Amino acid sequence: MTEKIRLWTQENLKGDPVIWGVMFALGLISIFVVYSATSTLAHRNHFGNTEYYLIRHTILVFLSFFTAYLAHKVDFRYFSLLSKLALWISVPLLLYAWLFGNTINDASRWITIPLINQSFQPSDLAKVALIVALASMLSKRQQKIENVKVTLLPILIWIFIVCSLIAMTNMSTAILLFLTCMLLMFIGRVPVKYLAMLVLIGAIAGTAAFTVGQRGETVISRVEAFLDDDHIGYQEKHAKLAIASGGTIGKGPGKSDGRNFLPSAYADFIYAIILEEYGVIGGVAVLILYLVLLVRGMRMVSNSEKAYEGLLSAGISFSLVLQAMVNMGVAVGLGPVTGLPLPFVSMGGTSLLFTGLAFGIMLSVSRGPQVALNEGKVKQGNNFAKAA
């Protein structure tokens, strides 16, 4: 049985095995921690059925695994074409979400999909689409990288449009996406003087979002609260209490008390629940998983033969890991509350599927050299056969 599983894995799960391992580990951790973090909520809202969210979340996690599996089977070069279509779709969806979307916590980030009655955030689609499209545009214009009209103008326009629309309802996501774009442009050999233009674009977009967006006052109040040493917010207080009670080895699975007090303990502050139940050891283990993902992504950059695959892996890995670092930093009190989930660990809906898609794209990139190697072997075999 073990041998069959090993053979099936080698045959069907191509690409970097370490990335596969990180994804599966984060998904399994997510199932256990979300079950614990939502048990009280499920008991209260679903007539004592504490497994309600467990079943729903587990299905979504495995659907995310399947999404990654499907994406990794696609040649990563096709994502360049798909990203352009996704960008054109995401812009009107972001506009619709801002103006007419479902409002939760004073932000209209969600659109409900008809028939299945499932809500999703267009920003999840826009993030992946912009990163893939930016990697494609930079790679195709390497010989004209300093040409403002041909290379930089289309890139700056797309970054401005997408980041501005996201910032109208979700400032933290827009900032992280903007930083990811800056990294990609830096790796893509864009001169520093033009990166200054990107900073100016970001300042204009941020000002517009603060002026007419929905989250300007919220951002200011959260930053002020974080800088106020004489006052600690409700969420920060209970997150610190949960973390302190966990100690080195934690209270044990399912024994969290913080889940009864922390708002969004299953999403924004799930890292606090991990530290409470699994202690510093569990928290460091999760941190290491994300760092390993970043290292593997950067390794693909150094090993890539073409600019596109290197930029693609760098953009996706940096985006996921940066969001994880911000989420964990907020949980332990190193930054103001942001509302960003912990990628592939926090409970979510379609955001899990888009994270699975991001993993699948990375795996597709890592699979590329193996495919090329296999094709080379086949070609050599055919040439040998003809010679014989």
Side-chain angles (χ1 to χ4, degrees):
M1 183 65 178
T2 305
E3 182 64 18
K4 289 183 178 180
I5 294 175
R6 186 182 67 83
L7 292 174
W8 184 90
T9 301
Q10 290 179 348
E11 180 67 25
N12 294 278
L13 303 185
K14 304 294 185 180
D16 192 334
V18 176
I19 296 179
W20 279 111
V22 169
M23 184 183 69
F24 287 136
L26 289 174
L28 294 177
I29 290 170
S30 176
I31 291 172
F32 284 108
V33 181
V34 166
Y35 177 45
S36 174
T38 58
S39 58
T40 302
L41 179 67
H43 186 275
R44 182 173 64 248
N45 293 348
H46 295 279
F47 309 101
N49 181 13
T50 57
E51 286 77 31
Y52 175 83
Y53 292 111
L54 169 66
I55 296 171
R56 178 178 178 272
H57 182 68
T58 301
I59 292 172
L60 280 170
V61 168
F62 278 91
L63 282 176
S64 301
F65 288 158
F66 185 62
T67 301
Y69 171 78
L70 292 179
H72 107 286
K73 301 287 283 185
V74 178
D75 190 319
F76 64 87
R77 290 170 293 187
Y78 288 114
F79 290 113
S80 174
L81 298 174
L82 294 173
S83 66
K84 295 176 183 177
L85 175 62
L87 274 179
W88 284 106
I89 293 174
S90 64
V91 168
L93 289 178
L94 287 169
L95 272 171
Y96 183 86
W98 172 34
L99 299 174
F100 309 107
N102 302 330
T103 301
I104 301 176
N105 295 329
D106 299 322
S108 54
R109 305 171 185 169
W110 291 264
I111 295 176
T112 300
I113 303 174
L115 301 179
I116 64 174
N117 198 32
Q118 173 67 52
S119 62
F120 86 104
Q121 295 188 55
S123 59
D124 291 326
L125 171 64
K127 283 191 302 183
V128 178
L130 182 60
I131 291 171
V132 177
L134 185 56
S136 175
M137 286 188 285
L138 285 170
S139 64
K140 291 177 180 178
R141 295 168 170 83
Q142 282 296 293
Q143 303 303 319
K144 301 178 180 179
I145 200 66
E146 296 193 21
N147 189 316
V148 176
K149 183 178 180 180
V150 174
T151 300
L152 293 177
L153 192 58
I155 291 174
L156 294 176
I157 289 174
W158 274 117
I159 293 175
F160 175 76
I161 292 173
V162 174
C163 289
S164 295
L165 289 175
I166 294 177
M168 295 300 175
T169 59
N170 193 339
M171 186 67 72
S172 53
T173 296
I175 292 173
L176 294 189
L177 180 59
F178 181 78
L179 292 175
T180 302
C181 292
M182 282 199 67
L183 173 74
L184 277 177
M185 292 179 71
F186 178 76
I187 296 176
R189 302 189 304 112
V190 173
V192 175
K193 62 181 179 181
Y194 295 131
L195 290 178
M197 293 174 58
L198 179 60
V199 173
L200 178 61
I201 292 291
I204 295 173
T207 302
F210 271 106
T211 304
V212 300
Q214 301 172 347
R215 305 298 287 172
E217 294 182 1
T218 301
V219 171
I220 293 173
S221 64
R222 286 179 174 178
V223 172
E224 289 177 345
F226 174 73
L227 297 176
D228 187 357
D229 295 331
D230 299 325
H231 173 75
I232 182 171
Y234 180 85
Q235 292 171 301
E236 298 93 322
K237 174 184 176 181
H238 286 286
K240 290 181 178 180
L241 288 173
I243 293 169
S245 65
T248 304
I249 60 174
K251 295 179 177 179
K255 296 182 179 180
S256 169
D257 294 315
R259 65 190 176 192
N260 300 319
F261 304 99
L262 264 174
S264 299
Y266 47 83
D268 304 348
F269 283 89
I270 198 166
Y271 192 63
I273 305 301
I274 293 173
L275 287 167
E276 182 183 11
E277 294 190 346
Y278 299 93
V280 174
I281 295 175
V284 170
V286 172
L287 173 62
I288 289 174
L289 286 173
Y290 286 110
L291 292 177
V292 168
L293 179 64
L294 180 62
V295 170
R296 302 305 287 190
M298 294 302 106
R299 183 182 179 186
M300 282 191 282
V301 174
S302 61
N303 293 339
S304 60
E305 297 180 358
K306 296 184 179 180
Y308 174 56
E309 54 195 88
L311 290 168
L312 188 55
S313 59
I316 291 177
S317 60
F318 183 77
S319 174
L320 291 174
V321 176
L322 180 60
Q323 181 175 326
M325 294 301 162
V326 171
N327 176 280
M328 292 185 282
V330 169
V332 299
L334 296 179
V337 176
T338 61
L340 289 170
L342 189 59
F344 224 73
V345 176
S346 295
M347 186 176 76
T350 52
S351 62
L352 273 172
L353 300 181
F354 282 108
T355 306
L357 173 63
F359 271 102
I361 294 173
M362 283 190 68
L363 288 164
S364 177
V365 174
S366 68
R367 183 172 178 260
Q370 297 180 24
V371 172
L373 180 63
N374 291 336
E375 290 176 349
K377 289 180 178 179
V378 171
K379 187 175 180 180
Q380 289 178 1
N382 291 337
N383 291 339
F384 178 80
K386 291 179 180 178

